[in-house]
mmCIF file of all heavy atoms in Angstrom:
data_model
loop_
_atom_site.group_PDB
_atom_site.id
_atom_site.type_symbol
_atom_site.label_atom_id
_atom_site.label_comp_id
_atom_site.label_asym_id
_atom_site.label_seq_id
_atom_site.Cartn_x
_atom_site.Cartn_y
_atom_site.Cartn_z
ATOM 1 N N TYR A 33 18.619 -53.771 48.566
ATOM 2 C CA TYR A 33 18.551 -53.138 49.902
ATOM 3 C C TYR A 33 17.095 -53.082 50.283
ATOM 4 O O TYR A 33 16.256 -52.887 49.480
ATOM 5 C CB TYR A 33 19.023 -51.603 49.791
ATOM 6 C CG TYR A 33 20.511 -51.557 49.204
ATOM 7 C CD1 TYR A 33 20.512 -51.419 47.849
ATOM 8 C CD2 TYR A 33 21.665 -51.555 49.998
ATOM 9 C CE1 TYR A 33 21.753 -51.202 47.255
ATOM 10 C CE2 TYR A 33 22.884 -51.434 49.377
ATOM 11 C CZ TYR A 33 22.919 -51.200 47.963
ATOM 12 O OH TYR A 33 24.155 -51.022 47.348
ATOM 13 N N TYR A 35 14.941 -50.789 53.036
ATOM 14 C CA TYR A 35 14.932 -49.538 54.041
ATOM 15 C C TYR A 35 13.479 -49.532 54.620
ATOM 16 O O TYR A 35 12.487 -49.880 53.962
ATOM 17 C CB TYR A 35 15.291 -48.180 53.445
ATOM 18 C CG TYR A 35 16.643 -48.225 52.944
ATOM 19 C CD1 TYR A 35 17.199 -48.579 51.707
ATOM 20 C CD2 TYR A 35 17.575 -47.463 53.915
ATOM 21 C CE1 TYR A 35 18.421 -48.345 51.422
ATOM 22 C CE2 TYR A 35 18.968 -47.467 53.599
ATOM 23 C CZ TYR A 35 19.341 -47.879 52.413
ATOM 24 O OH TYR A 35 20.658 -47.658 52.109
ATOM 25 N N GLN A 37 10.820 -46.635 56.422
ATOM 26 C CA GLN A 37 10.716 -45.107 56.545
ATOM 27 C C GLN A 37 9.411 -44.961 57.519
ATOM 28 O O GLN A 37 8.352 -45.344 57.226
ATOM 29 C CB GLN A 37 10.469 -44.371 55.167
ATOM 30 C CG GLN A 37 10.368 -43.001 55.341
ATOM 31 C CD GLN A 37 10.346 -42.359 54.049
ATOM 32 O OE1 GLN A 37 9.657 -42.738 53.208
ATOM 33 N NE2 GLN A 37 10.955 -41.134 53.889
ATOM 34 N N GLN A 41 10.755 -39.205 59.516
ATOM 35 C CA GLN A 41 12.054 -39.850 59.632
ATOM 36 C C GLN A 41 12.669 -40.101 58.190
ATOM 37 O O GLN A 41 12.086 -40.244 57.212
ATOM 38 C CB GLN A 41 11.931 -41.205 60.479
ATOM 39 C CG GLN A 41 11.228 -41.015 61.784
ATOM 40 C CD GLN A 41 12.130 -40.200 62.646
ATOM 41 O OE1 GLN A 41 13.422 -40.510 62.822
ATOM 42 N NE2 GLN A 41 11.494 -39.351 63.533
ATOM 43 N N GLY A 42 13.948 -40.307 58.393
ATOM 44 C CA GLY A 42 14.783 -40.654 57.120
ATOM 45 C C GLY A 42 14.551 -42.199 56.891
ATOM 46 O O GLY A 42 13.879 -42.899 57.714
ATOM 47 N N LEU A 43 15.179 -42.737 56.019
ATOM 48 C CA LEU A 43 15.303 -44.032 55.796
ATOM 49 C C LEU A 43 16.318 -44.743 56.587
ATOM 50 O O LEU A 43 17.445 -44.371 56.723
ATOM 51 C CB LEU A 43 15.601 -44.385 54.231
ATOM 52 C CG LEU A 43 14.508 -44.290 53.211
ATOM 53 C CD1 LEU A 43 14.015 -42.873 53.127
ATOM 54 C CD2 LEU A 43 14.911 -44.813 51.915
ATOM 55 N N LEU A 45 18.232 -48.546 57.362
ATOM 56 C CA LEU A 45 18.522 -49.771 56.615
ATOM 57 C C LEU A 45 18.229 -50.881 57.474
ATOM 58 O O LEU A 45 18.686 -51.103 58.659
ATOM 59 C CB LEU A 45 20.166 -49.784 56.334
ATOM 60 C CG LEU A 45 20.696 -51.048 55.578
ATOM 61 C CD1 LEU A 45 20.133 -50.990 54.131
ATOM 62 C CD2 LEU A 45 22.226 -50.862 55.483
ATOM 63 N N TYR A 48 20.954 -55.630 53.592
ATOM 64 C CA TYR A 48 21.279 -55.419 52.255
ATOM 65 C C TYR A 48 22.034 -56.649 51.889
ATOM 66 O O TYR A 48 22.546 -57.459 52.511
ATOM 67 C CB TYR A 48 22.051 -54.178 52.063
ATOM 68 C CG TYR A 48 23.505 -54.203 52.657
ATOM 69 C CD1 TYR A 48 24.718 -54.462 52.175
ATOM 70 C CD2 TYR A 48 23.566 -53.843 54.090
ATOM 71 C CE1 TYR A 48 25.869 -54.407 52.729
ATOM 72 C CE2 TYR A 48 24.710 -53.784 54.759
ATOM 73 C CZ TYR A 48 26.011 -54.091 54.113
ATOM 74 O OH TYR A 48 27.045 -54.044 54.663
ATOM 75 N N PHE A 88 6.494 -47.662 56.088
ATOM 76 C CA PHE A 88 6.589 -47.664 54.744
ATOM 77 C C PHE A 88 7.945 -48.281 54.410
ATOM 78 O O PHE A 88 9.070 -47.971 54.909
ATOM 79 C CB PHE A 88 6.554 -46.179 54.196
ATOM 80 C CG PHE A 88 6.519 -46.083 52.667
ATOM 81 C CD1 PHE A 88 5.576 -46.857 51.873
ATOM 82 C CD2 PHE A 88 7.387 -45.159 52.014
ATOM 83 C CE1 PHE A 88 5.444 -46.726 50.604
ATOM 84 C CE2 PHE A 88 7.325 -45.068 50.639
ATOM 85 C CZ PHE A 88 6.262 -45.796 49.916
ATOM 86 N N LEU A 90 10.848 -49.554 51.701
ATOM 87 C CA LEU A 90 11.313 -49.361 50.386
ATOM 88 C C LEU A 90 12.497 -50.288 50.055
ATOM 89 O O LEU A 90 13.305 -50.552 50.815
ATOM 90 C CB LEU A 90 11.930 -47.912 50.296
ATOM 91 C CG LEU A 90 10.814 -46.872 50.386
ATOM 92 C CD1 LEU A 90 11.411 -45.550 50.849
ATOM 93 C CD2 LEU A 90 10.252 -46.720 48.942
ATOM 94 N N ARG A 97 28.565 -53.102 44.064
ATOM 95 C CA ARG A 97 28.565 -53.503 45.522
ATOM 96 C C ARG A 97 28.678 -52.398 46.472
ATOM 97 O O ARG A 97 29.341 -51.384 46.008
ATOM 98 C CB ARG A 97 29.660 -54.504 45.773
ATOM 99 C CG ARG A 97 29.472 -55.762 44.929
ATOM 100 C CD ARG A 97 30.457 -56.752 45.264
ATOM 101 N NE ARG A 97 30.291 -57.969 44.330
ATOM 102 C CZ ARG A 97 30.996 -59.079 44.494
ATOM 103 N NH1 ARG A 97 32.287 -59.126 45.238
ATOM 104 N NH2 ARG A 97 30.961 -60.132 43.604
ATOM 105 N N PRO A 98 28.228 -52.330 47.559
ATOM 106 C CA PRO A 98 28.313 -51.237 48.538
ATOM 107 C C PRO A 98 29.725 -50.714 48.798
ATOM 108 O O PRO A 98 29.959 -49.514 49.179
ATOM 109 C CB PRO A 98 27.571 -51.666 49.824
ATOM 110 C CG PRO A 98 26.708 -52.710 49.377
ATOM 111 C CD PRO A 98 27.256 -53.464 48.143
ATOM 112 N N GLY A 99 30.660 -51.633 48.758
ATOM 113 C CA GLY A 99 32.029 -51.150 48.961
ATOM 114 C C GLY A 99 32.727 -50.429 47.882
ATOM 115 O O GLY A 99 33.909 -50.089 48.097
ATOM 116 N N SER A 100 32.138 -50.313 46.664
ATOM 117 C CA SER A 100 32.783 -49.737 45.582
ATOM 118 C C SER A 100 32.262 -48.233 45.498
ATOM 119 O O SER A 100 31.400 -47.853 46.206
ATOM 120 C CB SER A 100 32.482 -50.389 44.309
ATOM 121 O OG SER A 100 31.014 -50.374 44.047
ATOM 122 N N GLY A 101 32.911 -47.547 44.551
ATOM 123 C CA GLY A 101 32.680 -46.023 44.560
ATOM 124 C C GLY A 101 31.325 -45.614 43.993
ATOM 125 O O GLY A 101 30.546 -44.903 44.628
ATOM 126 N N ALA A 102 30.861 -46.046 42.847
ATOM 127 C CA ALA A 102 29.769 -45.747 42.204
ATOM 128 C C ALA A 102 28.586 -46.509 42.755
ATOM 129 O O ALA A 102 28.704 -47.746 42.633
ATOM 130 C CB ALA A 102 29.806 -45.672 40.664
ATOM 131 N N ASN A 103 27.594 -45.962 43.194
ATOM 132 C CA ASN A 103 26.420 -46.665 43.755
ATOM 133 C C ASN A 103 25.245 -45.953 43.635
ATOM 134 O O ASN A 103 24.557 -45.731 44.724
ATOM 135 C CB ASN A 103 26.838 -47.045 45.193
ATOM 136 C CG ASN A 103 25.822 -48.048 45.658
ATOM 137 O OD1 ASN A 103 25.392 -49.033 45.069
ATOM 138 N ND2 ASN A 103 25.589 -48.064 47.013
ATOM 139 N N VAL A 104 24.731 -45.630 42.497
ATOM 140 C CA VAL A 104 23.461 -44.930 42.455
ATOM 141 C C VAL A 104 22.322 -45.968 42.546
ATOM 142 O O VAL A 104 22.320 -46.931 41.864
ATOM 143 C CB VAL A 104 23.307 -44.300 40.951
ATOM 144 C CG1 VAL A 104 22.059 -43.714 40.711
ATOM 145 C CG2 VAL A 104 24.348 -43.329 40.682
ATOM 146 N N LEU A 105 21.523 -45.632 43.625
ATOM 147 C CA LEU A 105 20.353 -46.471 43.934
ATOM 148 C C LEU A 105 19.136 -46.198 43.262
ATOM 149 O O LEU A 105 18.791 -45.065 42.987
ATOM 150 C CB LEU A 105 20.080 -46.408 45.460
ATOM 151 C CG LEU A 105 20.811 -47.442 46.338
ATOM 152 C CD1 LEU A 105 22.185 -47.316 46.261
ATOM 153 C CD2 LEU A 105 20.249 -47.197 47.713
ATOM 154 N N PHE A 107 15.310 -47.128 43.354
ATOM 155 C CA PHE A 107 14.075 -47.460 44.357
ATOM 156 C C PHE A 107 12.874 -47.983 43.640
ATOM 157 O O PHE A 107 12.447 -47.572 42.596
ATOM 158 C CB PHE A 107 13.763 -46.179 45.235
ATOM 159 C CG PHE A 107 14.786 -46.031 46.402
ATOM 160 C CD1 PHE A 107 15.978 -45.373 46.086
ATOM 161 C CD2 PHE A 107 14.505 -46.551 47.584
ATOM 162 C CE1 PHE A 107 16.922 -45.153 47.297
ATOM 163 C CE2 PHE A 107 15.459 -46.410 48.622
ATOM 164 C CZ PHE A 107 16.649 -45.683 48.403
ATOM 165 N N GLY A 108 12.227 -48.843 44.324
ATOM 166 C CA GLY A 108 10.795 -49.363 44.061
ATOM 167 C C GLY A 108 9.911 -48.286 44.683
ATOM 168 O O GLY A 108 10.262 -47.243 45.248
ATOM 169 N N ALA A 109 8.592 -48.410 44.360
ATOM 170 C CA ALA A 109 7.518 -47.520 44.840
ATOM 171 C C ALA A 109 7.123 -47.648 46.186
ATOM 172 O O ALA A 109 6.518 -46.799 46.701
ATOM 173 C CB ALA A 109 6.331 -47.662 43.912
ATOM 174 N N LYS B 1 29.773 -43.556 64.725
ATOM 175 C CA LYS B 1 28.778 -43.995 63.847
ATOM 176 C C LYS B 1 28.338 -42.843 62.925
ATOM 177 O O LYS B 1 28.175 -41.559 63.539
ATOM 178 C CB LYS B 1 27.558 -44.496 64.486
ATOM 179 C CG LYS B 1 26.369 -45.055 63.668
ATOM 180 C CD LYS B 1 25.214 -45.347 64.523
ATOM 181 C CE LYS B 1 24.075 -45.688 63.559
ATOM 182 N NZ LYS B 1 22.912 -46.059 64.469
ATOM 183 N N TYR B 31 32.280 -42.707 50.382
ATOM 184 C CA TYR B 31 32.654 -42.949 48.955
ATOM 185 C C TYR B 31 32.051 -41.908 48.073
ATOM 186 O O TYR B 31 32.591 -41.532 47.117
ATOM 187 C CB TYR B 31 32.192 -44.342 48.535
ATOM 188 C CG TYR B 31 33.124 -45.487 48.905
ATOM 189 C CD1 TYR B 31 32.653 -46.454 49.753
ATOM 190 C CD2 TYR B 31 34.386 -45.689 48.381
ATOM 191 C CE1 TYR B 31 33.457 -47.567 50.098
ATOM 192 C CE2 TYR B 31 35.271 -46.642 48.759
ATOM 193 C CZ TYR B 31 34.822 -47.497 49.561
ATOM 194 O OH TYR B 31 35.504 -48.639 49.937
ATOM 195 N N ASN B 32 30.656 -41.605 48.443
ATOM 196 C CA ASN B 32 30.008 -40.610 47.682
ATOM 197 C C ASN B 32 28.833 -39.999 48.443
ATOM 198 O O ASN B 32 28.425 -40.614 49.601
ATOM 199 C CB ASN B 32 29.491 -41.194 46.398
ATOM 200 C CG ASN B 32 28.498 -42.314 46.547
ATOM 201 O OD1 ASN B 32 27.567 -42.345 47.314
ATOM 202 N ND2 ASN B 32 28.795 -43.366 45.966
ATOM 203 N N GLN B 34 24.713 -38.593 47.798
ATOM 204 C CA GLN B 34 23.643 -38.579 46.986
ATOM 205 C C GLN B 34 22.500 -37.637 47.371
ATOM 206 O O GLN B 34 22.070 -37.687 48.601
ATOM 207 C CB GLN B 34 23.047 -39.951 46.561
ATOM 208 C CG GLN B 34 23.951 -40.938 45.787
ATOM 209 C CD GLN B 34 23.246 -42.288 45.391
ATOM 210 O OE1 GLN B 34 23.848 -43.242 45.759
ATOM 211 N NE2 GLN B 34 22.174 -42.158 44.674
ATOM 212 N N PHE B 36 18.254 -37.100 46.765
ATOM 213 C CA PHE B 36 17.184 -37.813 46.285
ATOM 214 C C PHE B 36 15.960 -36.890 46.518
ATOM 215 O O PHE B 36 15.902 -36.053 47.375
ATOM 216 C CB PHE B 36 16.773 -39.193 47.097
ATOM 217 C CG PHE B 36 17.863 -40.216 46.846
ATOM 218 C CD1 PHE B 36 18.940 -40.302 47.633
ATOM 219 C CD2 PHE B 36 17.656 -41.184 45.843
ATOM 220 C CE1 PHE B 36 19.935 -41.316 47.498
ATOM 221 C CE2 PHE B 36 18.552 -42.240 45.685
ATOM 222 C CZ PHE B 36 19.609 -42.202 46.634
ATOM 223 N N GLN B 38 11.667 -37.353 47.156
ATOM 224 C CA GLN B 38 10.629 -38.078 47.339
ATOM 225 C C GLN B 38 9.260 -37.459 47.292
ATOM 226 O O GLN B 38 8.994 -36.521 48.136
ATOM 227 C CB GLN B 38 10.786 -38.809 48.692
ATOM 228 C CG GLN B 38 9.710 -39.949 48.927
ATOM 229 C CD GLN B 38 9.930 -40.718 50.313
ATOM 230 O OE1 GLN B 38 10.503 -40.051 51.231
ATOM 231 N NE2 GLN B 38 9.563 -41.882 50.294
ATOM 232 N N GLY B 41 4.148 -40.575 49.586
ATOM 233 C CA GLY B 41 3.729 -41.858 49.362
ATOM 234 C C GLY B 41 4.473 -42.632 48.306
ATOM 235 O O GLY B 41 3.933 -43.701 47.964
ATOM 236 N N LYS B 42 5.463 -42.123 47.861
ATOM 237 C CA LYS B 42 6.226 -42.647 46.600
ATOM 238 C C LYS B 42 7.586 -43.087 47.031
ATOM 239 O O LYS B 42 8.086 -42.930 48.134
ATOM 240 C CB LYS B 42 6.247 -41.661 45.435
ATOM 241 C CG LYS B 42 5.028 -41.041 44.979
ATOM 242 C CD LYS B 42 4.120 -42.129 44.390
ATOM 243 C CE LYS B 42 2.867 -41.537 43.894
ATOM 244 N NZ LYS B 42 1.848 -42.490 43.276
ATOM 245 N N GLY B 43 8.287 -43.813 46.113
ATOM 246 C CA GLY B 43 9.703 -44.142 46.277
ATOM 247 C C GLY B 43 10.616 -42.967 46.093
ATOM 248 O O GLY B 43 10.069 -41.901 45.819
ATOM 249 N N LEU B 44 11.832 -43.156 46.098
ATOM 250 C CA LEU B 44 12.826 -42.116 45.825
ATOM 251 C C LEU B 44 13.326 -42.093 44.461
ATOM 252 O O LEU B 44 13.651 -43.073 43.861
ATOM 253 C CB LEU B 44 13.999 -42.273 46.746
ATOM 254 C CG LEU B 44 13.824 -41.802 48.251
ATOM 255 C CD1 LEU B 44 12.765 -42.620 49.029
ATOM 256 C CD2 LEU B 44 15.304 -41.960 48.991
ATOM 257 N N SER B 46 16.679 -40.569 42.344
ATOM 258 C CA SER B 46 17.995 -40.042 42.512
ATOM 259 C C SER B 46 18.176 -38.735 41.548
ATOM 260 O O SER B 46 17.693 -38.703 40.435
ATOM 261 C CB SER B 46 18.996 -41.109 42.014
ATOM 262 O OG SER B 46 20.328 -40.592 42.122
ATOM 263 N N LEU B 49 24.583 -37.432 42.249
ATOM 264 C CA LEU B 49 25.504 -38.214 42.944
ATOM 265 C C LEU B 49 26.870 -37.514 42.672
ATOM 266 O O LEU B 49 27.317 -37.220 41.686
ATOM 267 C CB LEU B 49 25.631 -39.656 42.450
ATOM 268 C CG LEU B 49 26.657 -40.639 43.089
ATOM 269 C CD1 LEU B 49 26.249 -41.992 43.242
ATOM 270 C CD2 LEU B 49 28.081 -40.530 42.577
ATOM 271 N N GLN B 51 30.850 -37.983 43.805
ATOM 272 C CA GLN B 51 31.925 -38.854 44.312
ATOM 273 C C GLN B 51 32.760 -38.070 45.200
ATOM 274 O O GLN B 51 32.725 -36.902 45.230
ATOM 275 C CB GLN B 51 32.779 -39.353 43.138
ATOM 276 C CG GLN B 51 32.059 -40.141 42.036
ATOM 277 C CD GLN B 51 31.644 -41.545 42.458
ATOM 278 O OE1 GLN B 51 31.768 -42.009 43.697
ATOM 279 N NE2 GLN B 51 30.927 -42.345 41.620
ATOM 280 N N LEU B 89 16.020 -35.672 50.131
ATOM 281 C CA LEU B 89 16.909 -36.475 51.077
ATOM 282 C C LEU B 89 18.335 -36.567 50.572
ATOM 283 O O LEU B 89 18.593 -36.666 49.488
ATOM 284 C CB LEU B 89 16.305 -37.894 51.131
ATOM 285 C CG LEU B 89 14.860 -38.036 51.762
ATOM 286 C CD1 LEU B 89 14.184 -39.291 51.229
ATOM 287 C CD2 LEU B 89 15.021 -38.104 53.271
ATOM 288 N N ARG B 93 27.433 -42.605 51.412
ATOM 289 C CA ARG B 93 27.783 -43.960 51.483
ATOM 290 C C ARG B 93 29.116 -44.031 52.218
ATOM 291 O O ARG B 93 30.270 -43.781 51.637
ATOM 292 C CB ARG B 93 27.935 -44.565 50.117
ATOM 293 C CG ARG B 93 27.715 -46.016 50.319
ATOM 294 C CD ARG B 93 27.904 -46.903 49.410
ATOM 295 N NE ARG B 93 28.939 -46.682 48.508
ATOM 296 C CZ ARG B 93 28.996 -47.261 47.360
ATOM 297 N NH1 ARG B 93 28.187 -48.082 47.116
ATOM 298 N NH2 ARG B 93 29.988 -46.880 46.480
ATOM 299 N N GLY B 96 32.342 -49.439 53.480
ATOM 300 C CA GLY B 96 31.948 -50.711 54.015
ATOM 301 C C GLY B 96 30.504 -51.044 54.381
ATOM 302 O O GLY B 96 30.204 -52.024 54.877
ATOM 303 N N THR B 97 29.670 -50.190 54.025
ATOM 304 C CA THR B 97 28.238 -50.258 54.238
ATOM 305 C C THR B 97 27.406 -49.590 53.282
ATOM 306 O O THR B 97 27.936 -49.024 52.343
ATOM 307 C CB THR B 97 27.801 -49.931 55.661
ATOM 308 O OG1 THR B 97 26.475 -50.439 55.903
ATOM 309 C CG2 THR B 97 27.918 -48.479 55.851
ATOM 310 N N ALA B 98 26.023 -49.681 53.447
ATOM 311 C CA ALA B 98 25.093 -49.100 52.427
ATOM 312 C C ALA B 98 24.941 -47.606 52.854
ATOM 313 O O ALA B 98 25.244 -47.116 53.693
ATOM 314 C CB ALA B 98 23.876 -49.882 52.399
ATOM 315 N N LEU B 99 24.050 -46.976 51.993
ATOM 316 C CA LEU B 99 23.655 -45.579 52.188
ATOM 317 C C LEU B 99 23.065 -45.304 53.536
ATOM 318 O O LEU B 99 22.125 -46.042 54.039
ATOM 319 C CB LEU B 99 22.760 -45.009 51.134
ATOM 320 C CG LEU B 99 23.325 -44.842 49.653
ATOM 321 C CD1 LEU B 99 22.102 -44.490 48.761
ATOM 322 C CD2 LEU B 99 24.359 -43.836 49.727
ATOM 323 N N PHE B 101 20.870 -42.265 55.438
ATOM 324 C CA PHE B 101 20.052 -41.119 54.994
ATOM 325 C C PHE B 101 19.863 -40.112 56.105
ATOM 326 O O PHE B 101 19.825 -40.467 57.276
ATOM 327 C CB PHE B 101 18.770 -41.565 54.546
ATOM 328 C CG PHE B 101 18.642 -42.228 53.153
ATOM 329 C CD1 PHE B 101 19.044 -43.541 53.110
ATOM 330 C CD2 PHE B 101 18.201 -41.546 52.089
ATOM 331 C CE1 PHE B 101 19.033 -44.212 51.846
ATOM 332 C CE2 PHE B 101 18.175 -42.103 50.882
ATOM 333 C CZ PHE B 101 18.590 -43.493 50.728
ATOM 334 N N GLY B 102 19.639 -38.815 55.729
ATOM 335 C CA GLY B 102 19.217 -37.919 56.601
ATOM 336 C C GLY B 102 17.636 -37.921 56.648
ATOM 337 O O GLY B 102 16.987 -38.743 56.067
ATOM 338 N N LYS B 103 16.981 -36.941 57.588
ATOM 339 C CA LYS B 103 15.572 -37.148 57.686
ATOM 340 C C LYS B 103 14.921 -36.215 56.656
ATOM 341 O O LYS B 103 13.651 -36.338 56.417
ATOM 342 C CB LYS B 103 15.183 -36.618 59.022
ATOM 343 C CG LYS B 103 15.704 -37.492 60.137
ATOM 344 C CD LYS B 103 15.123 -36.949 61.468
ATOM 345 C CE LYS B 103 15.567 -37.883 62.557
ATOM 346 N NZ LYS B 103 15.125 -37.538 63.920
#
Side-chain angles (χ1 to χ4, degrees):
Chain A
Y33 314 81
Y35 287 90
Q37 187 176 34
Q41 302 292 315
L43 278 66
L45 182 65
Y48 66 99
F88 190 49
L90 288 158
R97 298 179 181 182
S100 63
N103 192 37
V104 177
L105 261 63
F107 279 84
Chain B
K1 182 181 176 183
Y31 281 118
N32 60 52
Q34 288 183 239
F36 293 86
Q38 185 178 31
K42 305 293 186 182
L44 278 66
S46 180
L49 179 148
Q51 301 289 0
L89 293 154
R93 203 193 28 201
T97 187
L99 282 177
F101 285 80
K103 294 183 178 181

